């Protein structure tokens, strides 16, 4: 069995962002040489997410609006986590809802996706360095 590991690095200019990372994941799969297997993609930070959805700007705005209703950023004093001097409790909650990782099948050396599926890095407390792990295993 083969194993291949790649880290993607991000520092978004905004507090929240949705970055399509499908091309980087496809490149990692290609570089791995794995023809049949699995690809794990996970955010290596507790205020960021990896998820699969459509790459459509209206949907991204809907996600932003929905998440902000579920866990509004302000007022910061509504969250006990922020009592420690932090201001990112909402980012932790948003990450919990959106998930830490995705696993996708690799078939014939390609990501095996359904129609419109794309992989996204969701940033909920940006403006600093963060990582995403791409781990590929298979034959």
């Amino acid at each position: 069995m083969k194993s291949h590991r790649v880290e993607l690095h991000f520092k978004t200019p905004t507090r929240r962002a949705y970055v399509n990372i499908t091309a980087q994941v496809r490149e990692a799969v290609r570089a791995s040489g794995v023809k049949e297997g699995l690809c794990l993609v996970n955010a290596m930070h507790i205020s960021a997410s990896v998820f699969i959805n459509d790459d459509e700007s209206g949907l991204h705005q809907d996600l932003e609006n929905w998440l902000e209703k579920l866990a509004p950023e302000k007022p910061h004093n509504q969250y006990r986590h922020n009592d420690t001097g932090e201001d990112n409790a909402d980012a932790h909650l948003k990450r919990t809802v959106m998930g830490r990782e995705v696993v996708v099948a690799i078939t014939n050396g390609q990501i095996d996706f359904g129609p419109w599926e794309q992989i996204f890095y969701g940033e909920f407390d940006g403006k600093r360095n963060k990582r995403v792990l791409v781990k590929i295993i298979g034959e």
Side-chain angles (χ1 to χ4, degrees):
M1 179 169 55
K2 295 179 186 177
S3 174
H4 185 71
R5 182 183 191 280
V6 174
E7 281 188 16
L8 307 177
H9 297 266
F10 298 94
K11 184 176 182 180
T12 61
T14 56
R15 181 176 168 98
R16 290 189 296 278
Y18 304 105
V19 180
N20 188 327
I21 61 172
T22 308
Q24 292 112 308
V25 174
R26 284 182 205 247
E27 174 55 27
V29 169
R30 187 203 60 72
S32 75
V34 169
K35 300 300 180 198
E36 300 291 325
L38 296 172
C39 177
L40 166 76
V41 185
N42 78 273
M44 297 177 74
H45 203 280
I46 57 176
S47 61
S49 176
V50 173
F51 63 95
I52 294 177
N53 217 313
D54 191 359
D55 192 4
E56 193 276 312
S57 61
L59 176 61
H60 297 181
Q61 188 58 55
D62 291 341
L63 283 170
E64 178 64 20
N65 294 343
W66 180 68
L67 288 170
E68 195 59 21
K69 285 178 186 173
L70 286 176
E73 177 186 349
K74 294 178 181 174
H76 292 141
N77 66 1
Q78 70 184 306
Y79 301 108
R80 297 295 58 90
H81 173 67
N82 292 345
D83 291 348
T84 64
E86 298 282 347
D87 69 354
N88 66 353
D90 69 297
H92 292 275
L93 297 172
K94 288 169 177 142
R95 188 273 180 105
T96 299
V97 170
M98 294 302 291
R100 175 182 186 258
E101 75 237 344
V102 299
V103 175
V104 295
I106 300 169
T107 304
N108 295 323
Q110 302 288 321
I111 296 172
D112 205 347
F113 268 166
W116 312 111
E117 288 187 327
Q118 300 285 301
I119 303 171
F120 290 90
Y121 169 70
E123 176 60 76
F124 307 116
D125 187 25
K127 300 182 180 182
R128 55 196 168 118
N129 296 326
K130 296 198 185 163
R131 300 176 295 153
V132 167
L133 172 67
V134 181
K135 181 75 173 192
I136 300 157
I137 57 171
E139 297 295 325

